[in-house]
PDB file of all heavy atoms in Angstrom:
ATOM      1  N   THR F  53       1.458  -1.816   6.033  1.00 39.00           N
ATOM      2  CA  THR F  53       2.270  -1.427   7.084  1.00 39.00           C
ATOM      3  C   THR F  53       2.527   0.035   7.136  1.00 39.00           C
ATOM      4  O   THR F  53       2.208   0.752   6.276  1.00 39.00           O
ATOM      5  CB  THR F  53       3.665  -2.215   6.767  1.00 39.00           C
ATOM      6  OG1 THR F  53       4.298  -1.664   5.648  1.00 39.00           O
ATOM      7  CG2 THR F  53       3.435  -3.764   6.625  1.00 39.00           C
ATOM      8  N   ASP F  54       3.278   0.492   8.299  1.00 40.00           N
ATOM      9  CA  ASP F  54       3.594   1.855   8.466  1.00 40.00           C
ATOM     10  C   ASP F  54       4.417   2.374   7.288  1.00 40.00           C
ATOM     11  O   ASP F  54       4.585   3.563   7.055  1.00 40.00           O
ATOM     12  CB  ASP F  54       4.166   2.172   9.721  1.00 40.00           C
ATOM     13  CG  ASP F  54       3.262   1.853  10.846  1.00 40.00           C
ATOM     14  OD1 ASP F  54       2.029   1.991  10.626  1.00 40.00           O
ATOM     15  OD2 ASP F  54       3.740   1.637  11.942  1.00 40.00           O
ATOM     16  N   GLU F  55       5.146   1.411   6.473  1.00 40.00           N
ATOM     17  CA  GLU F  55       5.974   1.932   5.526  1.00 40.00           C
ATOM     18  C   GLU F  55       5.291   2.502   4.275  1.00 40.00           C
ATOM     19  O   GLU F  55       5.808   3.055   3.354  1.00 40.00           O
ATOM     20  CB  GLU F  55       6.925   0.685   5.064  1.00 40.00           C
ATOM     21  CG  GLU F  55       7.895   0.127   6.186  1.00 40.00           C
ATOM     22  CD  GLU F  55       8.603  -1.065   5.644  1.00 40.00           C
ATOM     23  OE1 GLU F  55       8.105  -1.618   4.680  1.00 40.00           O
ATOM     24  OE2 GLU F  55       9.553  -1.399   6.343  1.00 40.00           O
ATOM     25  N   THR F  56       3.840   2.255   4.189  1.00 42.00           N
ATOM     26  CA  THR F  56       3.242   2.722   3.021  1.00 42.00           C
ATOM     27  C   THR F  56       2.332   3.968   3.412  1.00 42.00           C
ATOM     28  O   THR F  56       1.344   4.195   2.711  1.00 42.00           O
ATOM     29  CB  THR F  56       2.280   1.624   2.497  1.00 42.00           C
ATOM     30  OG1 THR F  56       1.470   1.089   3.455  1.00 42.00           O
ATOM     31  CG2 THR F  56       3.188   0.470   2.015  1.00 42.00           C
ATOM     32  N   VAL F  57       2.614   4.740   4.485  1.00 41.00           N
ATOM     33  CA  VAL F  57       1.875   5.820   4.900  1.00 41.00           C
ATOM     34  C   VAL F  57       2.180   6.903   3.762  1.00 41.00           C
ATOM     35  O   VAL F  57       3.182   7.128   3.422  1.00 41.00           O
ATOM     36  CB  VAL F  57       2.325   6.382   6.296  1.00 41.00           C
ATOM     37  CG1 VAL F  57       1.568   7.533   6.518  1.00 41.00           C
ATOM     38  CG2 VAL F  57       2.098   5.385   7.187  1.00 41.00           C
ATOM     39  N   LEU F  58       1.092   7.538   3.335  1.00 42.00           N
ATOM     40  CA  LEU F  58       1.294   8.518   2.338  1.00 42.00           C
ATOM     41  C   LEU F  58       1.691   9.929   2.757  1.00 42.00           C
ATOM     42  O   LEU F  58       1.168  10.316   3.903  1.00 42.00           O
ATOM     43  CB  LEU F  58      -0.019   8.705   1.430  1.00 42.00           C
ATOM     44  CG  LEU F  58      -0.549   7.440   0.829  1.00 42.00           C
ATOM     45  CD1 LEU F  58      -1.793   7.610   0.027  1.00 42.00           C
ATOM     46  CD2 LEU F  58       0.520   6.827  -0.160  1.00 42.00           C
ATOM     47  N   THR F  59       2.377  10.645   2.034  1.00 36.00           N
ATOM     48  CA  THR F  59       2.748  12.115   2.516  1.00 36.00           C
ATOM     49  C   THR F  59       1.590  12.879   1.910  1.00 36.00           C
ATOM     50  O   THR F  59       0.611  12.526   1.198  1.00 36.00           O
ATOM     51  CB  THR F  59       4.067  12.440   1.801  1.00 36.00           C
ATOM     52  OG1 THR F  59       3.880  12.506   0.451  1.00 36.00           O
ATOM     53  CG2 THR F  59       5.262  11.421   2.151  1.00 36.00           C
ATOM     54  N   SER F  60       1.723  14.217   2.278  1.00 34.00           N
ATOM     55  CA  SER F  60       0.677  15.144   1.743  1.00 34.00           C
ATOM     56  C   SER F  60       0.701  15.275   0.291  1.00 34.00           C
ATOM     57  O   SER F  60      -0.278  15.798  -0.348  1.00 34.00           O
ATOM     58  CB  SER F  60       0.999  16.580   2.431  1.00 34.00           C
ATOM     59  OG  SER F  60       2.221  17.009   2.159  1.00 34.00           O
ATOM     60  N   ARG F  61       1.738  14.939  -0.392  1.00 36.00           N
ATOM     61  CA  ARG F  61       1.807  15.078  -1.871  1.00 36.00           C
ATOM     62  C   ARG F  61       1.368  13.753  -2.579  1.00 36.00           C
ATOM     63  O   ARG F  61       1.488  13.663  -3.678  1.00 36.00           O
ATOM     64  CB  ARG F  61       3.315  15.345  -2.340  1.00 36.00           C
ATOM     65  CG  ARG F  61       3.670  16.746  -1.811  1.00 36.00           C
ATOM     66  CD  ARG F  61       5.106  17.031  -2.354  1.00 36.00           C
ATOM     67  NE  ARG F  61       5.590  18.358  -1.776  1.00 36.00           N
ATOM     68  CZ  ARG F  61       6.669  18.953  -2.149  1.00 36.00           C
ATOM     69  NH1 ARG F  61       7.586  18.146  -2.901  1.00 36.00           N
ATOM     70  NH2 ARG F  61       7.023  20.116  -1.740  1.00 36.00           N
ATOM     71  N   GLY F  62       0.944  12.776  -1.756  1.00 42.00           N
ATOM     72  CA  GLY F  62       0.323  11.513  -2.278  1.00 42.00           C
ATOM     73  C   GLY F  62       1.403  10.572  -2.647  1.00 42.00           C
ATOM     74  O   GLY F  62       1.162   9.667  -3.389  1.00 42.00           O
ATOM     75  N   GLN F  63       2.644  10.692  -2.128  1.00 43.00           N
ATOM     76  CA  GLN F  63       3.709   9.732  -2.396  1.00 43.00           C
ATOM     77  C   GLN F  63       4.057   8.936  -1.144  1.00 43.00           C
ATOM     78  O   GLN F  63       3.990   9.393  -0.056  1.00 43.00           O
ATOM     79  CB  GLN F  63       5.066  10.541  -2.850  1.00 43.00           C
ATOM     80  CG  GLN F  63       4.730  11.237  -4.087  1.00 43.00           C
ATOM     81  CD  GLN F  63       5.994  12.095  -4.612  1.00 43.00           C
ATOM     82  OE1 GLN F  63       6.784  12.370  -3.642  1.00 43.00           O
ATOM     83  NE2 GLN F  63       6.108  12.334  -5.814  1.00 43.00           N
ATOM     84  N   ASP F  64       4.482   7.676  -1.343  1.00 46.00           N
ATOM     85  CA  ASP F  64       4.738   6.813  -0.242  1.00 46.00           C
ATOM     86  C   ASP F  64       6.173   7.246   0.399  1.00 46.00           C
ATOM     87  O   ASP F  64       7.150   7.515  -0.311  1.00 46.00           O
ATOM     88  CB  ASP F  64       5.004   5.399  -0.686  1.00 46.00           C
ATOM     89  CG  ASP F  64       3.653   4.811  -0.964  1.00 46.00           C
ATOM     90  OD1 ASP F  64       2.633   5.334  -0.689  1.00 46.00           O
ATOM     91  OD2 ASP F  64       3.607   3.662  -1.537  1.00 46.00           O
ATOM     92  N   LEU F  65       6.189   7.221   1.682  1.00 45.00           N
ATOM     93  CA  LEU F  65       7.386   7.664   2.423  1.00 45.00           C
ATOM     94  C   LEU F  65       8.607   6.776   2.101  1.00 45.00           C
ATOM     95  O   LEU F  65       9.668   7.226   1.960  1.00 45.00           O
ATOM     96  CB  LEU F  65       7.158   7.624   3.930  1.00 45.00           C
ATOM     97  CG  LEU F  65       6.229   8.764   4.405  1.00 45.00           C
ATOM     98  CD1 LEU F  65       5.833   8.646   5.842  1.00 45.00           C
ATOM     99  CD2 LEU F  65       6.683  10.154   4.144  1.00 45.00           C
ATOM    100  N   ASP F  66       8.372   5.436   2.154  1.00 54.00           N
ATOM    101  CA  ASP F  66       9.484   4.503   1.954  1.00 54.00           C
ATOM    102  C   ASP F  66       9.241   3.560   0.871  1.00 54.00           C
ATOM    103  O   ASP F  66       9.685   2.373   0.908  1.00 54.00           O
ATOM    104  CB  ASP F  66       9.613   3.696   3.283  1.00 54.00           C
ATOM    105  CG  ASP F  66      10.153   4.584   4.464  1.00 54.00           C
ATOM    106  OD1 ASP F  66      10.940   5.464   4.250  1.00 54.00           O
ATOM    107  OD2 ASP F  66       9.606   4.489   5.584  1.00 54.00           O
ATOM    108  N   ARG F  67       8.500   4.038  -0.102  1.00 54.00           N
ATOM    109  CA  ARG F  67       8.160   3.030  -1.170  1.00 54.00           C
ATOM    110  C   ARG F  67       9.400   2.597  -1.940  1.00 54.00           C
ATOM    111  O   ARG F  67       9.383   1.541  -2.559  1.00 54.00           O
ATOM    112  CB  ARG F  67       7.148   3.703  -2.177  1.00 54.00           C
ATOM    113  CG  ARG F  67       6.876   2.860  -3.314  1.00 54.00           C
ATOM    114  CD  ARG F  67       5.558   3.156  -3.963  1.00 54.00           C
ATOM    115  NE  ARG F  67       4.432   2.738  -3.231  1.00 54.00           N
ATOM    116  CZ  ARG F  67       3.175   2.588  -3.646  1.00 54.00           C
ATOM    117  NH1 ARG F  67       2.845   3.031  -4.798  1.00 54.00           N
ATOM    118  NH2 ARG F  67       2.242   2.267  -2.732  1.00 54.00           N
ATOM    119  N   HIS F  68      10.465   3.471  -2.071  1.00 54.00           N
ATOM    120  CA  HIS F  68      11.672   3.085  -2.731  1.00 54.00           C
ATOM    121  C   HIS F  68      12.386   1.922  -2.114  1.00 54.00           C
ATOM    122  O   HIS F  68      13.247   1.303  -2.471  1.00 54.00           O
ATOM    123  CB  HIS F  68      12.595   4.212  -2.784  1.00 54.00           C
ATOM    124  CG  HIS F  68      13.063   4.684  -1.452  1.00 54.00           C
ATOM    125  ND1 HIS F  68      12.280   5.552  -0.597  1.00 54.00           N
ATOM    126  CD2 HIS F  68      14.285   4.584  -0.747  1.00 54.00           C
ATOM    127  CE1 HIS F  68      12.962   5.868   0.531  1.00 54.00           C
ATOM    128  NE2 HIS F  68      14.189   5.180   0.484  1.00 54.00           N
ATOM    129  N   GLU F  69      12.029   1.661  -0.705  1.00 64.00           N
ATOM    130  CA  GLU F  69      12.627   0.520   0.022  1.00 64.00           C
ATOM    131  C   GLU F  69      11.865  -0.873  -0.284  1.00 64.00           C
ATOM    132  O   GLU F  69      12.277  -1.861   0.229  1.00 64.00           O
ATOM    133  CB  GLU F  69      12.685   0.717   1.473  1.00 64.00           C
ATOM    134  CG  GLU F  69      13.509   2.002   1.829  1.00 64.00           C
ATOM    135  CD  GLU F  69      13.657   2.253   3.267  1.00 64.00           C
ATOM    136  OE1 GLU F  69      12.982   1.455   3.956  1.00 64.00           O
ATOM    137  OE2 GLU F  69      14.262   3.214   3.525  1.00 64.00           O
ATOM    138  N   GLN F  70      10.670  -0.713  -0.905  1.00 70.00           N
ATOM    139  CA  GLN F  70       9.912  -1.878  -1.152  1.00 70.00           C
ATOM    140  C   GLN F  70      10.233  -2.467  -2.618  1.00 70.00           C
ATOM    141  O   GLN F  70      10.441  -1.670  -3.560  1.00 70.00           O
ATOM    142  CB  GLN F  70       8.463  -1.534  -0.935  1.00 70.00           C
ATOM    143  CG  GLN F  70       8.084  -1.184   0.336  1.00 70.00           C
ATOM    144  CD  GLN F  70       6.509  -0.855   0.504  1.00 70.00           C
ATOM    145  OE1 GLN F  70       6.056   0.209   0.036  1.00 70.00           O
ATOM    146  NE2 GLN F  70       5.852  -1.700   1.136  1.00 70.00           N
ATOM    147  N   THR F  71       9.986  -3.710  -2.735  1.00 70.00           N
ATOM    148  CA  THR F  71      10.129  -4.308  -4.080  1.00 70.00           C
ATOM    149  C   THR F  71       8.882  -4.202  -4.792  1.00 70.00           C
ATOM    150  O   THR F  71       7.804  -3.949  -4.262  1.00 70.00           O
ATOM    151  CB  THR F  71      10.408  -5.852  -4.016  1.00 70.00           C
ATOM    152  OG1 THR F  71       9.291  -6.557  -3.404  1.00 70.00           O
ATOM    153  CG2 THR F  71      11.668  -6.076  -3.138  1.00 70.00           C
ATOM    154  N   PRO F  72       8.787  -4.252  -6.108  1.00 73.00           N
ATOM    155  CA  PRO F  72       7.494  -4.211  -6.902  1.00 73.00           C
ATOM    156  C   PRO F  72       6.374  -5.222  -6.321  1.00 73.00           C
ATOM    157  O   PRO F  72       5.268  -4.836  -6.289  1.00 73.00           O
ATOM    158  CB  PRO F  72       7.870  -4.393  -8.328  1.00 73.00           C
ATOM    159  CG  PRO F  72       9.281  -3.816  -8.414  1.00 73.00           C
ATOM    160  CD  PRO F  72       9.940  -4.278  -7.053  1.00 73.00           C
ATOM    161  N   GLU F  73       6.991  -6.448  -6.033  1.00 76.00           N
ATOM    162  CA  GLU F  73       6.061  -7.458  -5.548  1.00 76.00           C
ATOM    163  C   GLU F  73       5.355  -7.061  -4.212  1.00 76.00           C
ATOM    164  O   GLU F  73       4.177  -7.344  -4.015  1.00 76.00           O
ATOM    165  CB  GLU F  73       6.621  -8.755  -5.357  1.00 76.00           C
ATOM    166  CG  GLU F  73       7.020  -9.442  -6.664  1.00 76.00           C
ATOM    167  CD  GLU F  73       8.332  -8.893  -7.352  1.00 76.00           C
ATOM    168  OE1 GLU F  73       9.036  -8.004  -6.694  1.00 76.00           O
ATOM    169  OE2 GLU F  73       8.663  -9.439  -8.413  1.00 76.00           O
ATOM    170  N   GLU F  74       6.176  -6.443  -3.285  1.00 76.00           N
ATOM    171  CA  GLU F  74       5.652  -6.092  -2.086  1.00 76.00           C
ATOM    172  C   GLU F  74       4.596  -4.846  -2.251  1.00 76.00           C
ATOM    173  O   GLU F  74       3.486  -4.896  -1.558  1.00 76.00           O
ATOM    174  CB  GLU F  74       6.744  -5.517  -1.156  1.00 76.00           C
ATOM    175  CG  GLU F  74       7.598  -6.627  -0.667  1.00 76.00           C
ATOM    176  CD  GLU F  74       8.840  -6.127   0.106  1.00 76.00           C
ATOM    177  OE1 GLU F  74       9.278  -4.971  -0.134  1.00 76.00           O
ATOM    178  OE2 GLU F  74       9.384  -6.894   0.959  1.00 76.00           O
ATOM    179  N   ILE F  75       4.865  -3.986  -3.209  1.00 79.00           N
ATOM    180  CA  ILE F  75       3.948  -2.862  -3.335  1.00 79.00           C
ATOM    181  C   ILE F  75       2.669  -3.458  -3.884  1.00 79.00           C
ATOM    182  O   ILE F  75       1.483  -3.123  -3.531  1.00 79.00           O
ATOM    183  CB  ILE F  75       4.623  -1.820  -4.370  1.00 79.00           C
ATOM    184  CG1 ILE F  75       5.786  -1.167  -3.731  1.00 79.00           C
ATOM    185  CG2 ILE F  75       3.484  -0.828  -4.804  1.00 79.00           C
ATOM    186  CD1 ILE F  75       6.509  -0.280  -4.705  1.00 79.00           C
ATOM    187  N   LEU F  76       2.722  -4.480  -4.815  1.00 83.00           N
ATOM    188  CA  LEU F  76       1.590  -4.953  -5.568  1.00 83.00           C
ATOM    189  C   LEU F  76       0.672  -5.673  -4.485  1.00 83.00           C
ATOM    190  O   LEU F  76      -0.545  -5.556  -4.452  1.00 83.00           O
ATOM    191  CB  LEU F  76       2.013  -5.918  -6.619  1.00 83.00           C
ATOM    192  CG  LEU F  76       0.904  -6.526  -7.426  1.00 83.00           C
ATOM    193  CD1 LEU F  76       0.025  -5.421  -8.156  1.00 83.00           C
ATOM    194  CD2 LEU F  76       1.414  -7.517  -8.555  1.00 83.00           C
ATOM    195  N   GLU F  77       1.307  -6.416  -3.603  1.00 83.00           N
ATOM    196  CA  GLU F  77       0.581  -7.306  -2.751  1.00 83.00           C
ATOM    197  C   GLU F  77      -0.036  -6.355  -1.625  1.00 83.00           C
ATOM    198  O   GLU F  77      -1.201  -6.639  -1.233  1.00 83.00           O
ATOM    199  CB  GLU F  77       1.606  -8.304  -1.992  1.00 83.00           C
ATOM    200  CG  GLU F  77       1.876  -9.394  -2.937  1.00 83.00           C
ATOM    201  CD  GLU F  77       2.639 -10.578  -2.197  1.00 83.00           C
ATOM    202  OE1 GLU F  77       2.622 -10.514  -0.927  1.00 83.00           O
ATOM    203  OE2 GLU F  77       3.253 -11.337  -2.854  1.00 83.00           O
ATOM    204  N   ALA F  78       0.678  -5.310  -1.178  1.00 81.00           N
ATOM    205  CA  ALA F  78       0.091  -4.411  -0.167  1.00 81.00           C
ATOM    206  C   ALA F  78      -1.175  -3.692  -0.778  1.00 81.00           C
ATOM    207  O   ALA F  78      -2.143  -3.439  -0.158  1.00 81.00           O
ATOM    208  CB  ALA F  78       1.062  -3.358   0.171  1.00 81.00           C
ATOM    209  N   SER F  79      -0.982  -3.276  -2.119  1.00 85.00           N
ATOM    210  CA  SER F  79      -2.090  -2.579  -2.823  1.00 85.00           C
ATOM    211  C   SER F  79      -3.281  -3.547  -2.963  1.00 85.00           C
ATOM    212  O   SER F  79      -4.424  -3.149  -2.754  1.00 85.00           O
ATOM    213  CB  SER F  79      -1.713  -2.156  -4.209  1.00 85.00           C
ATOM    214  OG  SER F  79      -0.633  -1.281  -4.101  1.00 85.00           O
ATOM    215  N   TYR F  80      -2.957  -4.880  -3.310  1.00 87.00           N
ATOM    216  CA  TYR F  80      -4.154  -5.827  -3.310  1.00 87.00           C
ATOM    217  C   TYR F  80      -4.838  -6.008  -1.994  1.00 87.00           C
ATOM    218  O   TYR F  80      -6.086  -6.066  -1.937  1.00 87.00           O
ATOM    219  CB  TYR F  80      -3.600  -7.164  -3.774  1.00 87.00           C
ATOM    220  CG  TYR F  80      -4.562  -8.308  -3.920  1.00 87.00           C
ATOM    221  CD1 TYR F  80      -5.523  -8.358  -4.805  1.00 87.00           C
ATOM    222  CD2 TYR F  80      -4.581  -9.194  -2.819  1.00 87.00           C
ATOM    223  CE1 TYR F  80      -6.621  -9.390  -4.838  1.00 87.00           C
ATOM    224  CE2 TYR F  80      -5.607 -10.188  -2.767  1.00 87.00           C
ATOM    225  CZ  TYR F  80      -6.524 -10.307  -3.832  1.00 87.00           C
ATOM    226  OH  TYR F  80      -7.466 -11.299  -3.758  1.00 87.00           O
ATOM    227  N   SER F  81      -3.989  -6.019  -0.940  1.00 86.00           N
ATOM    228  CA  SER F  81      -4.566  -6.164   0.383  1.00 86.00           C
ATOM    229  C   SER F  81      -5.487  -5.008   0.709  1.00 86.00           C
ATOM    230  O   SER F  81      -6.610  -5.099   1.274  1.00 86.00           O
ATOM    231  CB  SER F  81      -3.640  -6.289   1.429  1.00 86.00           C
ATOM    232  OG  SER F  81      -2.782  -7.394   1.312  1.00 86.00           O
ATOM    233  N   ASP F  82      -5.102  -3.733   0.352  1.00 84.00           N
ATOM    234  CA  ASP F  82      -5.900  -2.487   0.584  1.00 84.00           C
ATOM    235  C   ASP F  82      -7.109  -2.576  -0.258  1.00 84.00           C
ATOM    236  O   ASP F  82      -8.279  -2.326   0.394  1.00 84.00           O
ATOM    237  CB  ASP F  82      -5.098  -1.303   0.087  1.00 84.00           C
ATOM    238  CG  ASP F  82      -3.866  -0.929   0.944  1.00 84.00           C
ATOM    239  OD1 ASP F  82      -3.840  -1.471   2.098  1.00 84.00           O
ATOM    240  OD2 ASP F  82      -3.006  -0.167   0.482  1.00 84.00           O
ATOM    241  N   LEU F  83      -7.224  -3.079  -1.468  1.00 88.00           N
ATOM    242  CA  LEU F  83      -8.333  -3.073  -2.186  1.00 88.00           C
ATOM    243  C   LEU F  83      -9.336  -4.209  -1.670  1.00 88.00           C
ATOM    244  O   LEU F  83     -10.524  -3.891  -1.573  1.00 88.00           O
ATOM    245  CB  LEU F  83      -7.972  -3.502  -3.690  1.00 88.00           C
ATOM    246  CG  LEU F  83      -7.272  -2.403  -4.487  1.00 88.00           C
ATOM    247  CD1 LEU F  83      -6.653  -2.958  -5.732  1.00 88.00           C
ATOM    248  CD2 LEU F  83      -8.203  -1.265  -4.731  1.00 88.00           C
ATOM    249  N   ARG F  84      -8.778  -5.270  -1.263  1.00 90.00           N
ATOM    250  CA  ARG F  84      -9.659  -6.344  -0.696  1.00 90.00           C
ATOM    251  C   ARG F  84     -10.286  -5.976   0.607  1.00 90.00           C
ATOM    252  O   ARG F  84     -11.489  -6.227   0.810  1.00 90.00           O
ATOM    253  CB  ARG F  84      -8.773  -7.622  -0.525  1.00 90.00           C
ATOM    254  CG  ARG F  84      -9.584  -8.800  -0.097  1.00 90.00           C
ATOM    255  CD  ARG F  84      -8.738 -10.033   0.092  1.00 90.00           C
ATOM    256  NE  ARG F  84      -9.642 -11.189   0.651  1.00 90.00           N
ATOM    257  CZ  ARG F  84     -10.119 -12.118  -0.100  1.00 90.00           C
ATOM    258  NH1 ARG F  84      -9.865 -12.069  -1.431  1.00 90.00           N
ATOM    259  NH2 ARG F  84     -10.761 -13.150   0.392  1.00 90.00           N
ATOM    260  N   ARG F  85      -9.521  -5.315   1.431  1.00 88.00           N
ATOM    261  CA  ARG F  85     -10.076  -4.845   2.851  1.00 88.00           C
ATOM    262  C   ARG F  85     -11.024  -3.743   2.655  1.00 88.00           C
ATOM    263  O   ARG F  85     -12.168  -3.860   3.266  1.00 88.00           O
ATOM    264  CB  ARG F  85      -8.954  -4.317   3.698  1.00 88.00           C
ATOM    265  CG  ARG F  85      -9.376  -3.796   5.033  1.00 88.00           C
ATOM    266  CD  ARG F  85     -10.048  -4.887   5.871  1.00 88.00           C
ATOM    267  NE  ARG F  85     -10.439  -4.497   7.165  1.00 88.00           N
ATOM    268  CZ  ARG F  85      -9.671  -4.249   8.245  1.00 88.00           C
ATOM    269  NH1 ARG F  85      -8.408  -4.672   8.129  1.00 88.00           N
ATOM    270  NH2 ARG F  85     -10.112  -3.926   9.327  1.00 88.00           N
ATOM    271  N   ALA F  86     -10.900  -2.942   1.698  1.00 87.00           N
ATOM    272  CA  ALA F  86     -11.931  -1.821   1.413  1.00 87.00           C
ATOM    273  C   ALA F  86     -13.166  -2.418   0.918  1.00 87.00           C
ATOM    274  O   ALA F  86     -14.372  -1.999   1.229  1.00 87.00           O
ATOM    275  CB  ALA F  86     -11.357  -0.862   0.452  1.00 87.00           C
ATOM    276  N   LEU F  87     -12.976  -3.480  -0.057  1.00 91.00           N
ATOM    277  CA  LEU F  87     -14.202  -4.100  -0.589  1.00 91.00           C
ATOM    278  C   LEU F  87     -14.979  -4.939   0.411  1.00 91.00           C
ATOM    279  O   LEU F  87     -16.220  -4.818   0.386  1.00 91.00           O
ATOM    280  CB  LEU F  87     -13.703  -5.013  -1.703  1.00 91.00           C
ATOM    281  CG  LEU F  87     -14.749  -5.980  -2.433  1.00 91.00           C
ATOM    282  CD1 LEU F  87     -15.964  -5.105  -2.916  1.00 91.00           C
ATOM    283  CD2 LEU F  87     -14.166  -6.919  -3.402  1.00 91.00           C
ATOM    284  N   ALA F  88     -14.281  -5.561   1.384  1.00 91.00           N
ATOM    285  CA  ALA F  88     -14.943  -6.365   2.453  1.00 91.00           C
ATOM    286  C   ALA F  88     -15.688  -5.497   3.342  1.00 91.00           C
ATOM    287  O   ALA F  88     -16.824  -5.738   3.726  1.00 91.00           O
ATOM    288  CB  ALA F  88     -13.918  -7.125   3.215  1.00 91.00           C
ATOM    289  N   ASP F  89     -15.057  -4.215   3.667  1.00 87.00           N
ATOM    290  CA  ASP F  89     -15.804  -3.354   4.460  1.00 87.00           C
ATOM    291  C   ASP F  89     -17.138  -2.789   3.983  1.00 87.00           C
ATOM    292  O   ASP F  89     -18.157  -2.581   4.499  1.00 87.00           O
ATOM    293  CB  ASP F  89     -14.869  -2.215   4.997  1.00 87.00           C
ATOM    294  CG  ASP F  89     -13.908  -2.604   5.931  1.00 87.00           C
ATOM    295  OD1 ASP F  89     -14.051  -3.629   6.499  1.00 87.00           O
ATOM    296  OD2 ASP F  89     -12.905  -1.853   6.112  1.00 87.00           O
ATOM    297  N   GLU F  90     -16.923  -2.552   2.539  1.00 88.00           N
ATOM    298  CA  GLU F  90     -18.140  -2.016   1.808  1.00 88.00           C
ATOM    299  C   GLU F  90     -19.203  -3.094   1.740  1.00 88.00           C
ATOM    300  O   GLU F  90     -20.410  -2.833   1.894  1.00 88.00           O
ATOM    301  CB  GLU F  90     -17.779  -1.504   0.458  1.00 88.00           C
ATOM    302  CG  GLU F  90     -18.874  -0.991  -0.420  1.00 88.00           C
ATOM    303  CD  GLU F  90     -18.524  -0.735  -1.800  1.00 88.00           C
ATOM    304  OE1 GLU F  90     -17.205  -0.809  -2.124  1.00 88.00           O
ATOM    305  OE2 GLU F  90     -19.434  -0.368  -2.607  1.00 88.00           O
ATOM    306  N   LEU F  91     -18.774  -4.313   1.577  1.00 91.00           N
ATOM    307  CA  LEU F  91     -19.850  -5.477   1.472  1.00 91.00           C
ATOM    308  C   LEU F  91     -20.579  -5.547   2.897  1.00 91.00           C
ATOM    309  O   LEU F  91     -21.898  -5.785   2.881  1.00 91.00           O
ATOM    310  CB  LEU F  91     -19.126  -6.730   1.247  1.00 91.00           C
ATOM    311  CG  LEU F  91     -18.586  -6.874  -0.260  1.00 91.00           C
ATOM    312  CD1 LEU F  91     -17.797  -8.211  -0.344  1.00 91.00           C
ATOM    313  CD2 LEU F  91     -19.675  -6.949  -1.226  1.00 91.00           C
TER     314      LEU F  91
END
């Protein structure tokens, strides 16, 4: 989501508003989508 856009320093803009589970699931989705595109 837009809540995980990275700043120029490589930190999430609103990551402090997300739970660890949300961060973990969003990261898993990122990894899976990137892998699917590569395949």
Side-chain angles (χ1 to χ4, degrees):
T53 65
D54 291 338
E55 296 177 345
T56 57
V57 177
L58 299 181
T59 66
S60 60
R61 295 184 180 180
Q63 297 175 337
D64 287 349
L65 292 174
D66 296 317
R67 175 156 290 193
H68 64 280
E69 298 180 359
Q70 296 178 290
T71 67
E73 287 82 2
E74 289 173 331
I75 295 173
L76 182 61
E77 290 190 11
S79 298
Y80 173 77
S81 296
D82 288 344
L83 291 168
R84 185 181 174 98
R85 177 64 181 273
L87 174 58
D89 288 345
E90 181 182 356
L91 290 175

